[in-house]
Amino acid sequence: MPGCQVLVAKNGNVVYDRSLGKLNPTMASSEVKGTTLYDLASMSKVCGTLAALMKTYDRGLWELDDPLKKYIPELKEKSLGDVTMKQLLYHESGLPPMLSIFSLVLDTATYEGDPIKYRCIEPYTIKIQDGVYGNRNAKLRNDLYSSEKSEKYYLPVAKGIYASDSARIMIMDAIYDIEPKSKKSFVYSDLNFCLLMKVNENITGIPHDQFLEEEILNPLGMWRTGYNPAEFYEISEVAPTEKDNFLRKQHVQGYVHDETAAFSGGVQGNAGLFSNTADLVKLFQTWLNGGKYGDIRLFREETVKLFTGRKSPTCDRLLGFDMLTTKTDWGVSPRTFGHTGFTGTCVWIDPDKELIYIFLSNRVNPTRSNKAFTRYNPRYAVLKKIYDSMK
């Protein structure tokens, strides 16, 4: 990884807070600062979507056993409408892991055959990742995306790419059309949180990013957390992620790395949030404190106990949170909760030891095919050092 931010808080105090390395893997790159913004990837599920849902649950606006069709009219006549909020939070909805985004956003008139293949052969010559190649003739749909910002095309996808409202609707419609498997066993799926964000928007009547800012970020003073940072910050303040040579044809910086979130306009339930460790620790300390931060009561204590304590009877998941049961031999409490992110991020909160550990990196820069990150596993190597230091 080019660089990272690491923060550890113990008993309500920050005991380690370092910014290390550079934004890019070159000698000339700028160094990571404490103010640098990182793409949280799937950490957005808990820091964004789940935090908003906990707020509306606090107000009695939905229940765990409520079916989706109660809040999403488009699902009233579909079997997906019978999936419950609880099943989405546990990732037991029967939905697949993700959308086939390439077939949705690319114009089929610009290429023949499939948009991608699993070997490099003409015209599949653009490497997406190891063993996956894109059709070099494929172009984005011009009925949904434009290179010029306008009243119709105003949602930021990447530098020089804008989406219309129809693009966001198209992606959600593609999710609505999926027939979930009848067996509701655990399958981690981005689509669960896309649906959960939509539920919260329909309940409140407020766009997700606006609701999160007003109800969570501003009360906690999380001033450097939000979606689509290229719209609000100097690009040099944001850690770049991957060089996308296929869909966006650029080194992504200031825009979300995840394709589903990006082509939805940057705000989606599964990904899209950017932040840094100094901001994030405020939200995590709030959960560790049972919903309170300083003089602010952000969530009811009963709500925090429910979401951070009710384990699925069939898998190691809490209501929206992941669990760290595989590391209990290190001294990690079995009640530890948190989440990871594809870009190289994680948070783990150990309530028994009053410990918060945050690790943010851009390990997908310049490519997601980064074998070193997997081999050395720095997120968990640092975590083990933390627990070793407490023995």
Side-chain angles (χ1 to χ4, degrees):
M1 60 192 177
C4 64
Q5 292 174 348
V6 183
L7 185 145
V8 181
K10 181 81 167 71
N11 301 329
N13 298 303
V14 173
V15 296
Y16 187 91
D17 183 10
R18 294 284 302 276
S19 299
L20 306 159
K22 298 177 179 293
L23 298 182
N24 282 302
T26 62
M27 291 299 292
S29 173
S30 300
E31 293 185 350
V32 177
K33 300 177 182 177
T35 54
T36 299
L37 300 175
Y38 276 92
D39 183 335
L40 300 184
S42 283
M43 272 180 63
S44 304
K45 291 181 173 73
V46 295
C47 303
T49 307
L50 188 62
L53 282 166
M54 289 173 69
K55 197 69 177 176
T56 49
Y57 184 87
D58 252 359
R59 295 170 180 168
L61 298 180
W62 61 275
E63 297 293 338
L64 290 174
D65 291 322
D66 286 344
L68 274 175
K69 61 188 176 185
K70 183 175 180 179
Y71 305 109
I72 301 179
E74 293 89 341
L75 297 179
K76 285 188 175 179
E77 305 300 324
K78 299 184 178 184
S79 59
L80 181 56
D82 294 323
V83 171
T84 67
M85 298 289 284
K86 180 168 62 179
Q87 287 173 323
L88 292 172
L89 289 164
Y90 282 148
H91 292 278
E92 296 172 349
S93 64
L95 288 171
M98 62 188 71
L99 283 175
S100 177
I101 199 71
F102 302 114
S103 60
L104 293 175
V105 303
L106 292 171
D107 184 355
T108 55
T110 63
Y111 64 95
E112 294 181 359
D114 298 320
I116 62 170
K117 280 194 181 296
Y118 299 100
R119 59 180 180 140
C120 186
I121 182 174
E122 276 288 343
Y124 300 91
T125 56
I126 301 177
K127 185 177 180 180
I128 298 171
Q129 64 185 63
D130 288 346
V132 182
Y133 298 87
N135 190 315
R136 60 180 173 82
N137 299 318
K139 293 181 173 57
L140 294 176
R141 290 173 55 175
N142 59 18
D143 61 324
L144 299 176
Y145 304 99
S146 173
S147 60
E148 299 290 335
K149 189 174 184 179
S150 64
E151 187 174 343
K152 179 181 179 181
Y153 300 99
Y154 69 98
L155 299 170
V157 173
K159 184 178 180 181
I161 305 175
Y162 301 92
S164 64
D165 284 323
S166 297
R168 184 164 49 188
I169 293 168
M170 177 270 297
I171 287 175
M172 292 308 300
D173 283 345
I175 299 174
Y176 299 156
D177 287 341
I178 297 173
E179 184 75 20
K181 292 182 178 178
S182 56
K183 185 179 180 181
K184 301 297 191 287
S185 56
F186 171 76
V187 175
Y188 181 81
S189 174
D190 287 343
L191 311 186
N192 294 326
F193 274 76
C194 295
L195 290 165
L196 287 168
M197 189 192 86
K198 186 61 177 176
V199 167
N200 216 59
E201 286 190 331
N202 286 355
I203 287 173
T204 63
I206 302 172
H208 170 67
D209 52 342
Q210 181 183 334
F211 182 85
L212 188 71
E213 182 178 347
E214 293 173 354
E215 299 289 344
I216 306 294
L217 305 182
N218 286 352
L220 289 177
M222 297 174 65
W223 310 121
R224 292 183 68 82
T225 303
Y227 296 86
N228 289 317
E231 302 283 293
F232 307 102
Y233 298 94
E234 293 293 329
I235 205 72
S236 59
E237 298 180 67
V238 187
T241 52
E242 191 169 23
K243 289 183 179 178
D244 178 0
N245 296 317
F246 185 45
L247 290 179
R248 289 162 282 193
K249 302 186 187 307
Q250 61 189 264
H251 196 165
V252 178
Q253 185 173 11
Y255 302 88
V256 60
H257 173 262
D258 178 85
E259 291 90 351
T260 299
F263 286 92
S264 297
V267 181
Q268 188 52 275
N270 69 305
L273 200 61
F274 287 72
S275 189
N276 54 29
T277 54
D279 264 17
L280 290 173
V281 71
K282 298 175 185 178
L283 175 60
F284 303 147
Q285 189 67 51
T286 301
W287 283 329
L288 191 57
N289 293 345
K292 193 175 181 183
Y293 187 77
D295 296 329
I296 300 169
R297 167 63 67 181
L298 200 65
F299 307 104
R300 292 188 305 125
E301 187 172 2
E302 296 80 3
T303 297
V304 176
K305 285 181 177 179
L306 175 67
F307 282 82
T308 63
R310 182 176 291 186
K311 181 182 177 297
S312 165
T314 61
C315 66
D316 289 336
R317 302 290 301 200
L318 301 174
L319 291 167
F321 291 104
D322 197 1
M323 301 181 72
L324 202 53
T325 54
T326 58
K327 302 292 188 290
T328 52
D329 58 325
W330 293 356
V332 176
S333 162
R335 296 202 300 138
T336 298
F337 62 94
H339 216 280
T340 59
F342 185 76
T343 50
T345 62
C346 75
V347 58
W348 296 109
I349 302 168
D350 187 334
D352 291 348
K353 291 185 168 59
E354 295 188 52
L355 179 77
I356 298 169
Y357 162 54
I358 311 169
F359 184 103
L360 304 180
S361 78
N362 53 339
R363 67 101 186 169
V364 293
N365 180 11
T367 171
R368 69 186 70 185
S369 300
N370 185 348
K371 294 180 175 61
F373 193 85
T374 303
R375 184 167 64 249
Y376 291 106
N377 204 357
R379 287 180 289 195
Y380 295 101
V382 173
L383 180 67
K384 188 173 189 306
K385 287 290 185 183
I386 293 168
Y387 279 86
D388 286 347
S389 74
M390 293 189 290
K391 291 178 179 178

